[in-house]
Amino acid sequence: MKDSAIWQVAVLDDHPLIGKAIQYRLAQEPELALVGAFAQRQQLMTFLQRNAVDVLVLDYILGDDELDGLQMVKQLRMRYPQLKILISSAVEKPAIVQLLLKAGVQGFVGKSEDQEVLIKALHQVCRNKLFLTADMLLEMDKFKESDKEMHDYLLPREMGDDITLLLRELSPREIEVIRCYLDGLSITQIAGKYARSRKTISGQKQTALRKLGLRSDLELFKYKEHFSGIVLNNNA
């Protein structure tokens, strides 16, 4: 751990204004210096080959990039094990945060948070401390509790392609609910989108999980790519 030093910070976010805003704010932090702000993954990877970076602020979703945030984190951890990673994302789901933490990130800040929260997170991560907001910690606790209900009557599923057969058992509405959920929408937002009650949407999600033999949102997100290729014959 460095003492009395300037921490080198890089940002990867496909919204240029995000990098500009962080650059302006970090100019007021004597211990933090922005050494690069990038909109594309390959730009960052080229930069990392030739420059030292202590902390990377990484957006979870990068437009049309072929890698999602989780794959990106795994790639970075493999190539640059000393690099600290702080996720900044508009997708603020506890299931995703849990997967990212297991992959090796040091913190998560939702884009709904004030910029000062991001600055606080950077200081924490630089000092090898994990950073999650109090709200996210609460959501993760709720998420873990709700998962326990599924664990009582479902055995763990082994990762494999056999889930594609079970997808045929889902109704079009159940598939759309799961797709929306995987895209980052909350149960309330999905209910609003389809003009249905929150209870109905929550029930369709739980029914889909049972049909798929999945015990939790965490397991569901591991199969995210399987839902992208499904073509529906009628609307949800």
Side-chain angles (χ1 to χ4, degrees):
M1 178 175 172
K2 300 194 300 187
D3 294 316
S4 302
I6 296 178
W7 299 91
Q8 309 296 305
V9 180
V11 177
L12 177 59
D13 195 302
D14 59 358
H15 293 84
L17 290 179
I18 298 293
K20 289 289 185 183
I22 294 177
Q23 181 179 22
Y24 176 79
R25 182 61 185 82
L26 289 186
Q28 305 170 47
E29 297 293 319
E31 294 181 348
L32 303 172
L34 184 67
V35 294
F38 310 96
Q40 296 181 350
R41 178 178 61 90
Q42 195 53 52
Q43 294 174 335
L44 170 70
M45 300 306 286
T46 299
F47 183 83
L48 290 176
Q49 291 174 7
R50 304 169 184 170
N51 300 273
V53 174
D54 296 308
V55 183
L56 171 66
V57 179
L58 174 65
D59 190 3
Y60 179 75
I61 297 178
L62 296 170
D64 296 328
D65 197 292
E66 68 273 17
L67 291 182
D68 64 21
L70 185 60
Q71 291 174 309
M72 181 71 178
V73 167
K74 291 178 178 179
Q75 184 181 94
L76 287 167
R77 297 301 300 157
M78 184 179 300
R79 297 187 184 182
Y80 306 101
Q82 301 304 314
L83 177 67
K84 299 176 177 64
I85 302 174
L86 173 63
I87 298 294
S88 172
S89 177
V91 181
E92 304 178 35
K93 287 201 169 294
I96 292 178
V97 175
Q98 188 167 332
L99 284 172
L100 289 167
L101 290 174
K102 286 187 175 182
V105 307
Q106 280 74 34
F108 180 97
V109 177
K111 287 190 175 180
S112 64
E113 299 287 347
D114 187 86
Q115 192 179 56
E116 293 308 304
V117 177
L118 180 65
I119 298 301
K120 180 181 178 181
L122 278 170
H123 281 287
Q124 292 268 54
V125 169
C126 284
R127 287 163 176 75
N128 292 322
K129 296 180 180 179
L130 179 69
F131 182 88
L132 295 173
T133 63
D135 286 344
M136 180 53 70
L137 285 171
L138 179 60
E139 287 300 312
M140 291 183 73
D141 284 341
K142 291 179 181 178
F143 161 70
K144 291 174 183 176
E145 285 299 319
S146 65
D147 283 349
K148 290 178 182 177
E149 299 175 6
M150 305 294 289
H151 280 241
D152 291 338
Y153 55 89
L154 287 176
L155 295 174
R157 166 174 293 282
E158 295 295 330
M159 291 295 289
D161 293 334
D162 62 329
I163 197 171
T164 57
L165 299 176
L166 295 177
L167 288 174
R168 299 173 186 175
E169 302 298 320
L170 301 188
S171 71
R173 288 192 173 188
E174 289 165 353
I175 290 174
E176 280 305 320
V177 167
I178 296 299
R179 273 182 172 173
C180 290
Y181 194 75
L182 291 173
D183 284 340
L185 274 66
S186 67
I187 296 298
T188 301
Q189 290 171 325
I190 300 171
K193 178 178 180 179
Y194 292 115
R196 299 202 292 273
S197 71
R198 189 182 185 282
K199 183 177 180 180
T200 296
I201 296 298
S202 179
Q204 289 172 334
K205 172 177 170 279
Q206 293 303 320
T207 298
L209 285 175
R210 286 196 295 270
K211 288 181 179 179
L212 296 172
L214 302 178
R215 303 183 301 169
S216 67
D217 286 355
L218 182 61
E219 290 183 357
L220 175 63
F221 275 93
K222 291 179 181 178
Y223 289 97
K224 182 177 180 179
E225 70 275 7
H226 289 273
F227 288 86
S228 61
I230 301 175
V231 177
L232 297 179
N233 294 322
N234 54 320
N235 294 326

